Amino acid sequence: MASIAQAIRMALHVGETQLGVQDIFGEDVGPPLGGVFTCTQGLEKAWNSPLDERGIIGMAMGLALAEQKPVAEIQFVDYIFNTIDLMKLAGNTCWTTNGEFNIDMVVMSPTGSGVHGSVYHSHSFESIATHMPGWKVIIVSNPLDAYGLLISAIKDPNPVLFMYPKALIRTQTDDVIPGAPKDQKELSKMIDAPLGDRSQWKPEWPKTEVMEIPIGRAKKYTSGDKLTVISYGRTLPLAVNAARKINENRGSEDIEVMDLRTIYPYDWDAIKTSVEKTGRVLVVNEDTEVTNFGEHLIRRIANDCFYHLQAPPKLLAGANTPGVGLAWTLEQVQVPQEDSIEKAMTELLSLEA
């Protein structure tokens, strides 16, 4: 079983050996560190850039226009805000050139709270990212999706923003990446760099498959007929745990939890089918609540599923504050936790139609 960090590393190795990726770069991405979260350890094409996010995005755009296939990393998504004008250009280039030029690049970045990152290491970006037409936007919640969706992102001819929650980077699940060892210790021995001197170390890469997970396809974790819960990233496993607890206590399958996985394009057919079945919907994420991406989903649900609704749709999101507090007690109340998600689910289930 791999962690998200190991899954990203193995997907990038597939990219550099089989999919034409020549440059994997960003701040501390190359040796000796291999990424602040070790997501790029041991990769042959990884190199360190200057501490300049605009330079990183600009370099990636230039390489893509020269028909390369770069993967650039912004060390924390909090640092991506000063590159928005360049990212808008990357997103609109295909449209403004009438399809003559594609920007074939991937930007990956860790996102969200959960590691006591405070003001400069806890932001979310997906709502703003969806305001940049031309980009595909991914947020994963587990290692298998990280592997399959990153490979899909690399193969996509358009710019793709691939985000992974900082709080889940060491998370392991029962899913096994095809070709990777099931035993975590064996995998770690093969591809995790040792502590201390790494100058002579080289990874022993497992022969993993070029496994793609389609961009724009949601995944259902629990089934139910009374409430639809739409989430992704850090809050997804919290929502799954809360739903399973409520379902068990009620002795019935009431709550359907869906991992959106791709924020744009998103799986509208899956959302519509579920909401029309349950009549109640809760959207959970940790981005700040004002102009939250979940508000767009709720607007579309209200437009297209209005006569199926049995209760007002609800958004549970991060507090509208400039940042997330350093103290654990502040972070607990500023972004959704399992208890607040369980409370919101229970309240929606109790509303009379």
Side-chain angles (χ1 to χ4, degrees):
M1 295 180 291
S3 66
I4 285 180
Q6 291 169 325
I8 289 172
R9 215 181 301 156
M10 289 189 284
L12 290 174
H13 177 66
V14 170
E16 68 179 3
T17 56
Q18 300 182 55
L19 303 178
V21 173
Q22 293 294 318
D23 295 277
I24 302 166
F25 63 99
E27 297 160 1
D28 294 322
V29 162
L33 189 59
V36 70
F37 292 107
T38 71
C39 295
T40 50
Q41 266 183 0
L43 297 167
E44 291 184 8
K45 305 299 184 184
W47 51 273
N48 295 316
S49 73
L51 304 182
D52 176 10
E53 287 77 22
R54 290 177 57 80
I56 292 169
I57 298 298
M59 174 69 76
M61 292 173 64
L63 288 168
L65 286 169
E67 299 185 352
Q68 301 297 303
K69 191 182 282 287
V71 177
E73 182 185 81
I74 300 297
Q75 195 172 63
F76 292 90
V77 82
D78 310 64
Y79 306 158
I80 208 169
F81 287 84
N82 70 340
T83 73
I84 286 176
D85 55 340
L86 292 174
M87 293 187 72
K88 285 183 68 177
L89 287 174
N92 70 27
T93 296
C94 182
W95 187 78
T96 55
T97 62
N98 197 26
E100 188 169 350
F101 295 105
N102 282 80
I103 303 290
D104 188 353
M105 68 188 234
V106 176
V107 175
M108 62 180 204
S109 188
T111 184
S113 65
V115 295
H116 313 298
S118 191
V119 176
Y120 297 111
H121 299 84
S122 299
H123 274 99
S124 298
F125 188 68
E126 71 268 20
S127 300
I128 293 175
T130 58
H131 284 282
M132 299 187 297
W135 281 84
K136 294 176 179 173
V137 183
I138 294 168
I139 299 183
V140 298
S141 66
N142 62 76
L144 186 64
D145 285 352
Y147 182 82
L149 280 165
L150 184 50
I151 287 178
S152 295
I154 291 170
K155 295 185 74 171
D156 196 289
N158 300 293
V160 179
L161 177 59
F162 175 90
M163 293 183 282
Y164 47 100
K166 292 189 283 285
L168 302 180
I169 284 177
R170 306 300 172 202
T171 295
Q172 298 171 17
T173 65
D174 292 334
D175 296 323
V176 177
I177 294 170
K182 294 181 181 178
D183 185 88
Q184 170 60 23
K185 289 183 179 178
E186 183 183 354
L187 178 63
S188 178
K189 188 177 179 181
M190 294 173 71
I191 68 170
D192 287 347
L195 297 175
D197 182 12
R198 304 172 176 178
S199 58
Q200 303 302 314
W201 172 76
K202 289 188 179 300
E204 180 187 348
W205 295 105
K207 294 181 180 178
T208 55
E209 300 175 7
V210 184
M211 185 201 76
E212 295 179 66
I213 292 177
I215 293 173
R217 191 81 56 81
K219 181 179 180 180
K220 192 165 62 176
Y221 274 79
T222 64
S223 296
D225 57 8
K226 291 184 174 57
L227 172 62
T228 298
V229 178
I230 304 166
S231 191
Y232 48 80
R234 184 189 70 85
T235 55
L236 186 279
L238 303 177
V240 172
N241 289 341
R244 286 175 175 160
K245 188 185 300 181
I246 293 173
N247 283 344
E248 184 177 342
N249 290 339
R250 292 165 67 98
S252 56
E253 298 293 325
D254 292 339
I255 304 175
E256 191 154 281
V257 178
M258 183 183 306
D259 185 353
L260 213 51
R261 304 198 288 191
T262 305
I263 310 305
Y264 200 86
Y266 57 88
D267 194 343
W268 173 245
D269 288 342
I271 294 171
K272 186 171 184 285
T273 299
S274 182
V275 173
E276 288 182 350
K277 177 178 65 173
T278 66
R280 293 176 171 82
V281 60
L282 171 67
V283 181
V284 185
N285 63 53
E286 61 177 328
D287 205 348
T288 47
E289 61 185 344
V290 176
T291 60
N292 184 289
F293 176 70
E295 292 181 331
H296 164 69
L297 295 180
I298 288 174
R299 190 273 299 164
R300 190 169 181 187
I301 288 168
N303 279 357
D304 292 14
C305 308
F306 182 78
Y307 292 105
H308 295 272
L309 293 175
Q310 299 185 44
K314 183 178 178 63
L315 170 68
L316 181 62
N320 188 36
T321 53
V324 175
L326 177 62
W328 178 237
T329 49
L330 289 175
E331 188 168 303
Q332 281 280 302
V333 297
Q334 285 184 278
V335 292
Q337 308 294 336
E338 186 172 321
D339 57 352
S340 59
I341 296 171
E342 182 179 347
K343 181 182 178 185
M345 291 176 176
T346 303
E347 288 175 351
L348 266 174
L349 285 169
S350 68
L351 293 177
E352 296 291 337

